[in-house]
Amino acid sequence: MRTTHFKLGELFCGPGGMAIAAKGLTPVVGHDGRSYALEHAWGVDLAQYAIDTFNANGCGEGICKDAWKFVREDLDECHRVNALAFGFPCNSFSEVGERKGVNDETYGNLYQTGIAVLNAYDPLWFVAENVSGLKARDKGRQFERILHELSNAGKGYVVTPHLYKFEEYGVPQARHRWVIVGIRADEAARRGIDCFRPPAPTHGPGHDNPFVTCKEAISTLSSHQPTTTNLKSSKNSDRIAWRLRFTPPGGNAWKLDELVDAKLYPDEKLLDYLKENLPWYETEIAPLGSAADIRAKIEEVRLHCTRARMSHIYRRLDPAKPAWTLTGSGGGGTHVYHWSEPRALTNPERAALQTFPQNYQFCGTKEQIRKQIGMAVPTRAARQIFQAILKTFAGVDYPSLTPERVYRPVS
């Protein structure tokens, strides 16, 4: 059987969320009998621990190097590819970052390293990924600029941006990301491809499958807690553990500020609320004593914060829903917390929510691994997007969405 091999290079590869998806992808056979297959050739990342993880899992050649330095020095025949992926860093576009957009000299222009590869190699297609806040900067003008630059890179690309809600694709996490797929314009014309069509959602209301909950994903792990330090949960102080005990599943620490207010929650109402919303009330809370004793304990462990209050601070998972978005940043109560145990998630639990294989080997310290996992693209989502690209080239139909807008190169 004749085979078209797409040789994939990746900038900002992290621990290999996209790479392991490409590695495990089933080739697609077109109506012409030709097979279309994907091979991950190399990945570039500045973090040595991420490259160590990338290499440990056989994801291709891992290159520890600054992306700008790589595109200036290493775009030679040895690294030539005909497909490209780049999840350019979100620091300048994320809602929890400084939000400087493309004007940030450190991060904002890193999408242009992808354009440098497009200009050098003219790959047949590319995939770029970034946070949902990408479109929010400068009333959408910066997003438009990025899309127009991508469509006019190299020989020109037919570009389809789509905001994916990854929980609608079987990921046990409400992670919303822009994924931009470009197909080289001359190749699209030759094959009769009008544009890339995003694969249709498969999970949630109105679809064949319910959302995959965080409890379902985490329950597939071994019941034994990890013994090595870099896989354990971050150790909580007694104060934080009690803060979590007063926070119901799905809630966050700001509820405690309401509970100490006797006008909002007089004694009887306070106890009724705690009994109804804390499954561990009888074993953990009732032994504290009277309503006054319990209120005093809540006052002792609440945050006492008068500044801006982000909703994900000391927020516990709801076991009946997908998890909140995992992040690579850390500290200040952002680690994501178990729904029934007063602790942060372990790294294996976080990896399960990002749909990494259970046997995936992570390298680095506990915090380095947590950062790698939080920054990665969920493997299950990446696999579905790659599969749709192969089917697009093979001319094989698949359930899809009509793009809201398609960008084409200026002739």
Side-chain angles (χ1 to χ4, degrees), residues 48-66:
Q48 183 63 60
Y49 51 81
I51 290 299
D52 290 342
T53 297
F54 188 91
N55 287 329
N57 293 281
C59 291
E61 178 193 1
I63 304 167
C64 185
K65 203 165 192 177
D66 174 80

Side-chain angles (χ1 to χ4, degrees), residues 11 84 86 110-120 145-146 148-154:
L11 301 175
L84 176 69
F86 58 111
L110 285 176
Y111 72 93
Q112 293 178 351
T113 60
I115 289 176
V117 179
L118 299 180
N119 290 336
R145 168 182 164 181
I146 291 171
H148 282 293
E149 288 185 32
L150 288 170
S151 66
N152 288 286

Side-chain angles (χ1 to χ4, degrees), residues 68-82:
W68 276 118
K69 191 171 184 181
F70 175 80
V71 300
R72 288 166 180 158
E73 298 177 357
D74 297 314
L75 293 184
D76 49 27
E77 285 303 309
C78 178
H79 293 108
R80 180 171 290 279
V81 291
N82 60 355

Side-chain angles (χ1 to χ4, degrees), residues 245-266:
R245 288 187 181 99
F246 285 115
T247 303
N252 61 36
W254 307 123
K255 184 65 180 180
L256 277 64
D257 291 351
E258 298 178 18
L259 297 178
V260 296
D261 189 335
K263 293 181 180 179
L264 289 176
Y265 284 89

Side-chain angles (χ1 to χ4, degrees), residues 13-158:
C13 64
M18 282 192 177
I20 202 68
K23 182 179 179 181
L25 202 63
T26 302
V28 174
V29 178
H31 300 300
D32 58 358
R34 178 178 287 274
S35 175
Y36 293 82
L38 183 57
E39 170 194 355
H40 203 292
W42 49 257
V44 176
D45 201 282
L46 185 59
Q48 183 63 60
Y49 51 81
I51 290 299
D52 290 342
T53 297
F54 188 91
N55 287 329
N57 293 281
C59 291
E61 178 193 1
I63 304 167
C64 185
K65 203 165 192 177
D66 174 80
W68 276 118
K69 191 171 184 181
F70 175 80
V71 300
R72 288 166 180 158
E73 298 177 357
D74 297 314
L75 293 184
D76 49 27
E77 285 303 309
C78 178
H79 293 108
R80 180 171 290 279
V81 291
N82 60 355
L84 176 69
F86 58 111
F88 53 103
C90 65
N91 307 58
S92 298
F93 305 101
S94 173
E95 291 301 318
V96 297
E98 295 186 13
R99 295 180 282 183
K100 294 181 180 179
V102 298
N103 298 316
D104 183 351
E105 294 181 1
T106 303
Y107 300 107
N109 63 356
L110 285 176
Y111 72 93
Q112 293 178 351
T113 60
I115 289 176
V117 179
L118 299 180
N119 290 336
Y121 291 154
D122 290 311
L124 296 174
W125 56 266
F126 72 82
V127 175
E129 178 264 354
N130 210 279
V131 294
S132 59
L134 179 61
K135 192 176 181 180
R137 303 285 75 79
D138 194 22
K139 298 181 180 180
R141 286 187 285 266
Q142 293 187 15
F143 189 41
E144 289 285 316
R145 168 182 164 181
I146 291 171
L147 293 170
H148 282 293
E149 288 185 32
L150 288 170
S151 66
N152 288 286
K155 293 183 177 180
Y157 290 84
V158 179

Side-chain angles (χ1 to χ4, degrees), residues 173 175 177 324-328 336 345 350 353-354 373-374:
Q173 181 188 170
R175 192 179 188 91
R177 293 292 186 266
W324 327 119
T325 303
L326 301 181
T327 66
V336 182
L345 298 184
R350 295 169 65 86
L353 298 178
Q354 286 281 56
I373 295 170

Side-chain angles (χ1 to χ4, degrees), residues 232-253:
K232 287 183 178 180
S233 170
S234 298
K235 188 175 181 179
N236 290 327
S237 66
D238 187 62
R239 178 185 177 86
I240 291 175
W242 273 106
R243 183 178 297 152
L244 292 170
R245 288 187 181 99
F246 285 115
T247 303
N252 61 36

